[in-house]
Amino acid sequence: MEHMSLKKIARLAGLLYLGVVITGIFSLMYAPSKLIDWDNATNTYNAIVANQTLFRFWIVCGLACYTFFLFLPLVLYKLLKPVNDDYAKLMVLFALISVPIYFINVQNLFSVLFFVNDSNNVYGFSSDQIHSQVMLFLNQYDNGMRIIHIFSGLWLFPFGYLIFKSGFLPKFLGILLMLGCFGYLIDFIGDTLLKNYSEIGILKFISIPASVGEIGICLWLIIVGVKSERK
């Protein structure tokens, strides 16, 4: 990578980011929305049993997402370290911390897969007990994602700052990413401290800067690359 031009490094980062975005949308939003009814364990169990292929793709796409995310900050470091090496290292640190946490957390989904397979009911659980176990592991997975999203937010601040200061990437995207950091943290704190947080409806607003900023920088890196080569 030492001999790659700045534009090629930017495009590689953009392609990795695109992999994160596509697999992330599927595994973090689409699949759970189609399979989980948080208020009804039986409906959730039946939905997963009827759509096991979708559930298995959820697992695979989630692992692919965080595999892409393992390499993404390393490529971004190569691109952004001349701007500020300390901030670039902080960006990599916050990003990479989330990867092993996710790989451990995904074990909860494998446990769900175990319980929805009738041939694995070697412990003699009743139907209600199996449904409860499925919801327990899904809730454990969801709690794990809350922890991961702390670092999903924290890495955006140094990343956004580096983009803002770079001179070869759009400043407004850097601002959105820095705001996105606080959106993630506010969401975590609110969801943890407030019992009725989901009813407030603030999430759909505070998540906008991160979503627009991340998709925006992904597309910019792929389509435009960088404004000019650094000397």
Side-chain angles (χ1 to χ4, degrees):
M1 195 180 293
E2 288 292 335
H3 303 291
M4 291 178 67
S5 70
L6 195 64
K7 284 187 179 294
K8 287 183 178 179
I9 295 173
R11 294 263 161 75
L12 176 58
L15 289 172
L16 287 169
Y17 222 139
L18 184 62
V20 171
V21 169
I22 292 174
T23 55
I25 289 174
F26 183 88
S27 61
L28 299 177
M29 298 173 62
Y30 178 77
S33 71
K34 294 296 182 181
L35 296 173
I36 302 177
D37 179 352
W38 292 109
D39 298 320
N40 193 308
T42 300
N43 287 349
T44 299
Y45 174 84
N46 290 336
I48 295 174
V49 169
N51 298 278
Q52 281 200 45
T53 300
L54 176 60
F55 188 82
R56 291 174 186 273
F57 268 108
W58 174 5
I59 295 175
V60 171
C61 282
L63 292 171
C65 176
Y66 278 86
T67 300
F68 287 130
F69 196 60
L70 176 64
F71 294 102
L72 173 62
L74 301 178
V75 178
L76 287 173
Y77 175 78
K78 179 67 178 177
L79 181 69
L80 297 169
K81 69 176 180 178
V83 180
N84 186 308
D85 190 53
D86 290 335
Y87 272 80
K89 288 177 179 175
L90 196 62
M91 172 191 71
V92 173
L93 175 64
F94 284 145
L96 292 186
I97 286 175
S98 66
V99 176
I101 299 176
Y102 181 83
F103 273 77
I104 294 171
N105 189 42
V106 81
Q107 291 293 328
N108 288 300
L109 297 185
F110 280 108
S111 296
V112 171
L113 198 57
F114 175 88
F115 276 103
V116 298
N117 190 333
D118 290 335
S119 63
N120 287 332
N121 188 17
V122 295
Y123 302 107
F125 290 126
S126 67
S127 295
D128 287 342
Q129 288 173 326
I130 291 175
H131 298 172
S132 296
Q133 288 289 332
V134 166
M135 289 305 296
L136 173 63
F137 283 112
L138 288 174
N139 273 285
Q140 288 293 87
Y141 171 81
D142 191 54
N143 290 335
M145 292 308 302
R146 293 185 190 181
I147 303 300
I148 291 167
H149 285 160
I150 295 174
F151 298 99
S152 298
L154 287 176
W155 92 287
L156 291 180
F157 189 86
F159 181 33
Y161 175 83
L162 290 166
I163 290 173
F164 182 80
K165 288 290 188 179
S166 68
F168 53 84
L169 292 168
K171 288 182 180 291
F172 76 93
L173 290 177
I175 294 172
L176 287 175
L177 291 170
M178 286 187 282
L179 291 174
C181 166
F182 295 107
Y184 270 107
L185 297 180
I186 291 171
D187 182 52
F188 171 78
I189 293 171
D191 198 29
T192 303
L193 295 181
L194 303 176
K195 183 178 180 181
N196 63 335
Y197 175 74
S198 61
E199 301 172 7
I200 298 176
I202 191 176
L203 176 60
K204 59 184 178 182
F205 297 109
I206 64 174
S207 63
I208 291 175
S211 299
V212 175
E214 291 200 80
I215 293 175
I217 193 62
C218 167
L219 296 176
W220 183 279
L221 290 170
I222 293 173
I223 298 170
V224 179
V226 291
K227 292 179 181 178
S228 63
E229 290 285 334
R230 277 197 315 265
K231 295 184 179 179

